[in-house]
Every structure is written in C-alpha cells, then in structure tokens.
Amino acid sequence: MTSSPSGAVFVLGGARSGKSRFAESLISDTGLARHYIATGQAWDDEMRDRIAQHRADRGELWTTHEEPLDLVARLAAIDGQGKAILVDCLTLWVTNLMMAERAMAAEFSALTEFLPKAKSRLVLVSNEVGLGIVPENRMAREFRDHAGRLHQMIAAASAEVYFVAAGLPLKMKG
C-alpha cells in the first residue's frame, strides 16, 4: 500500500446512486483536458446501448478510452500535466480481471502504486458491493472480497474519498 495519499479522488456508491455524475462534476469545471477511461465491456445489446448513451451524455468535451484490463498501462499512456482522467468503474475492471484470470493482488498493487506518480487529476469511480447480504455463490463472494480489498487500497492511497447515495455526496476523507 502507498504510504502517503496521492491527489487522486475516489468516488464510491451503489448502482445508480449518482456517483458517475458527481465524479464528472469534479472534473467539468477544472479547465483540464478531459479523459474518460471506460472499463465496461459490451457483452450484449443492452450493454452496447448503455455504453453508447453514456458516451453521448458526456459529449465531445471528453476523450473516451475503452480499457477493460490493462488499466495502469492506459493511465500511464495518457497521464500528463493539464489533463483530468476519470476511471469508471473499478468494479467492472475487477470483473474483467477475474474473467481473464489475472493476478488480482498484482493488478491492485500496480494501480495503487501509480496513483502518487500521476501528473493528471485522477478521479476513480466504483460500486460499493459490501453493504448487502453475503452472496450465495463462490464467484460472487470472491468478487465482493476482491472489490472490498481494492476499495480499501484505493481509499488509503487517495487524497479524497466520497460516498454517494441518492445523488448526494458524503465526503469521507480529505
């Protein structure tokens, strides 16, 4: 884990809580070049439609990068002064890593180690999955556990952490 917080901002919340809209608002008025790293993959028509709608909603002020697996490499490739990078979302990234059978601990460490080195304004978004019941199957429990570990690491390495519910952000750190 990183010993000192980076300038990164971590935005956590439930599905449809308003976290992505809030995360975008943290960047919109900065005057920085806006980059959006989308980790979702279009596995079906409904997801393709969602992705297209999100892209249209953001508009032309955002440069979109689709990166389901190699998040740290993509961050490093576009990182730079005068830029803001929004990553949405870490839980989809966790799912992609699990499906690709990647080394979770190594991927998580690489991301948390990148945060303090970033020159860009970074905002990372994720779904809180630990507030519900214990999942009924092994894969779902492993997903919840991976997401929980990653969230703790990102929160520790971030300068600010927000929890969003019903469109209302609660500042938890910073």
Side-chain angles (χ1 to χ4, degrees):
M1 244 187 251
T2 308
S3 58
S4 62
S6 70
V9 178
F10 185 35
V11 179
L12 196 59
R16 294 289 181 236
S17 64
K19 64 190 173 299
S20 294
R21 184 173 46 253
F22 173 70
E24 289 173 17
S25 77
L26 295 173
I27 291 174
S28 294
D29 296 330
T30 63
L32 300 171
R34 301 175 197 177
H35 292 265
Y36 187 100
I37 299 179
T39 61
Q41 295 186 77
W43 297 107
D44 56 31
D45 289 339
E46 187 269 341
M47 190 62 167
R48 273 186 279 286
D49 291 345
R50 277 181 186 256
I51 290 169
Q53 186 61 53
H54 284 295
R55 192 181 282 247
D57 290 346
R58 283 191 302 276
E60 296 179 10
L61 295 175
W62 292 84
T63 301
T64 301
H65 309 266
E66 295 183 7
E67 187 52 65
L69 291 169
D70 296 320
L71 179 56
V72 177
R74 180 63 63 122
L75 282 165
I78 61 175
D79 185 38
Q81 294 291 334
K83 296 180 181 180
I85 303 172
L86 184 131
V87 177
D88 198 354
C89 89
L90 294 179
T91 44
L92 288 175
W93 181 58
V94 168
T95 299
N96 298 337
L97 294 174
M98 287 179 69
M99 298 306 287
E101 299 182 358
R102 299 282 280 262
M104 306 302 278
E107 297 280 356
F108 295 175
S109 291
L111 178 56
T112 55
E113 289 169 12
F114 176 82
L115 296 182
K117 299 173 191 170
K119 297 174 188 79
S120 301
R121 165 93 165 144
L122 291 181
V123 179
L124 302 111
V125 177
S126 200
N127 289 296
E128 174 52 60
V129 296
L131 296 175
I133 61 172
V134 174
E136 68 178 29
N137 66 72
R138 179 181 179 164
M139 185 175 188
R141 287 188 298 275
E142 287 176 356
F143 168 78
R144 181 213 45 206
D145 294 349
H146 288 309
R149 281 190 286 279
L150 175 62
H151 292 165
Q152 290 178 58
M153 293 171 74
I154 298 299
S158 295
E160 297 177 40
V161 178
Y162 293 88
F163 185 82
V164 180
L168 302 172
L170 171 65
K171 192 169 193 176
M172 299 174 69
K173 178 181 176 183

